[in-house]
Amino acid sequence: MSSPALHGVTTIEPHADTLRPPWPFTGREEELDLVRRSSAAGRPGVVVTGPAGCGRTRLATEAVRGTDCVRVSPTPETRATPFGAFAPLLPESVTLHRAVRLLSGVRLLFVDDAHLLDDASAALLHHLAVQGRTRLLVTVTDGAPAPAAVTRLRTGESLPRLALAPLPDDATDPLLEAAAGGPLDPLTAHRLRRLCRGDLRLLRDLTAAVRDAGLLTRLPETGLRAWRGPVPPTPALRERAAAVLARPCPEERETLDRLAFAEPLPLPAGALDLRALERLEADALIEVADDDTVRLAHPLHGPMLRATAGRLRARRLSGLRGPLTDALDTEAAALLDGIARDDVRTARTPVGEWLVAEGAPVPAGYAAVRARFARLRGELREAAAWAREGLSETPGHPACRRELALTAARSGEPDDGATEGGATDDLDAYDAVRLGAPERALELLPPDGVFARHARALARADGAALDRVAAELGERGFLLYAAEAYAQAASAHRDPTAARTARTRAAALARRCQGARTPALSGPALGELTARQRQIVTLAAAGLTNRQIAERLTLSVRTVGNHLYGAYARLGTADRTTLPWLVEQPA
């Protein structure tokens, strides 16, 4: 071929995933806008980095949709050939100098998985970046071995760099629903996310495997789909767990299997080979906690080791697990200690999660503690799910019923007549603060605690102090309370900029609280917008793109963008994902 394709999209390496229905695009709207602006005329482009499976390729694909670009997708196989990734675009026996000259006419070059480039292709990409005539959109996986030229790109040396973090949990809900064929119960969604650790490709593979194996059942209480039982050992999941499944050393495999059936195990442990443990730790396959207990490093490895063990081996290893009652009591005590210390940050509770995953009965007392901890964290749907688990084992259990009522009240859906003011809470004096009557609580709350500081700040209508309290509540894990404090700060601030910032923070936190609807979170956010801005923001919150909004309202795309920009400024946000919360606030 004597010259590169200058128009259309050239893609190498068709993948089996392209046969699946596309994922919904969610949770990356702000990043999408940044990539599009970075790849526009007059800009050098951008390098998008992030961990494996975080959605780099999907983001870049959305960014170039409808544009005049050339796409190159290297593979491990093309890495063995000089300029192998660019072979369809370049003549045979091309020199680096001529390759740079030939590709300088490409308006936009999208190089996916650039860490897989051969050295010659990596040098070509580096020269194009330095030359600056071709706009580049490059994706690279964090931590993956890469040619030196790509490593320099990955660090942002030659192009602006966008580092993607894993999607927040709430943004993965549409993905899970699409892969499962319907909404999932919160404990199933939590299990899938925990097993996949932010890897969206793995999340899709695992959810589809569970669905295809017929492992999803409907819960009678909610009608949601639930998954209980072992992980299906599909070829794709076996490949993901190959690091442990294919461990050749018998002592190391025995150690991994023992952990799979009985983790965490204490050190020193006579049942574990210490030298094998050292080697496994060096390979990042196990973790040693501060309390000298040993666990498998990746949450998927245990289920896959159990799923592939023979029946006799599984029977022997299952006997190593100690009494579950003692382990559950230890986990519940740790959660209650965190609540007593006003600290509900995430705690490791593998035994309780293992019970739910296996479909085993969950003691109601333990379930009530899990529900309480989740509710205080603002994880309302998970709190309700844990309460229902306890009630299924012990119908009428008072603590579980109480947690279910409190969770329903904070979701704006009173249960059995319970209301926010009528249900009894662990922090019932603090409820007066959350509901805007701090004077009643000042004498009852511990004077040095964060809840009392919240009461004093609200009593003084001190916006800055409320901001500080909200930040501390968030750091301690009380996301719903932090959202409420920021909402109160927005009303207390006299400075409009400070009020908008507080409102934006309230919206971002409330969005993570799984449907929370409380009096403190209600507010006239959209009242600050013009009629046209409210109309456009409402459509954007419903998921319409700027082009779809423009077509519906007979406006230009630019006009829609300008109205959204003005609305963002008034609302104090540049994050499109906060709009649904702002639009759907209770009246």
Side-chain angles (χ1 to χ4, degrees), residues 114-140:
H115 53 281
L116 296 177
L117 288 174
D118 60 275
D119 289 338
S121 295
L124 168 59
L125 184 63
H126 175 73
H127 279 280
L128 291 172
V130 172
Q131 184 188 68
R133 296 178 186 173
T134 301
R135 300 193 304 277
L136 297 175
L137 174 53
V138 183
T139 69
V140 189

Side-chain angles (χ1 to χ4, degrees), residues 432-509:
V433 182
R434 296 176 48 243
L435 298 174
E439 296 83 2
R440 293 169 47 191
L442 281 171
E443 296 181 359
L444 301 176
L445 292 169
D448 297 329
V450 63
F451 305 120
R453 291 197 294 278
H454 187 180
R456 289 193 292 270
L458 184 60
R460 298 194 306 267
D462 187 336
L466 285 168
D467 282 339
R468 291 193 294 271
V469 164
E472 183 176 351
L473 286 168
E475 290 171 359
R476 291 171 177 264
F478 295 96
L479 300 188
L480 176 55
Y481 297 161
E484 292 174 329
Y486 274 126
Q488 292 168 338
S491 299
H493 277 300
R494 296 182 179 180
D495 175 33
T497 300
R500 286 195 295 269
T501 300
R503 186 182 299 110
T504 300
R505 291 173 177 169
L509 288 171

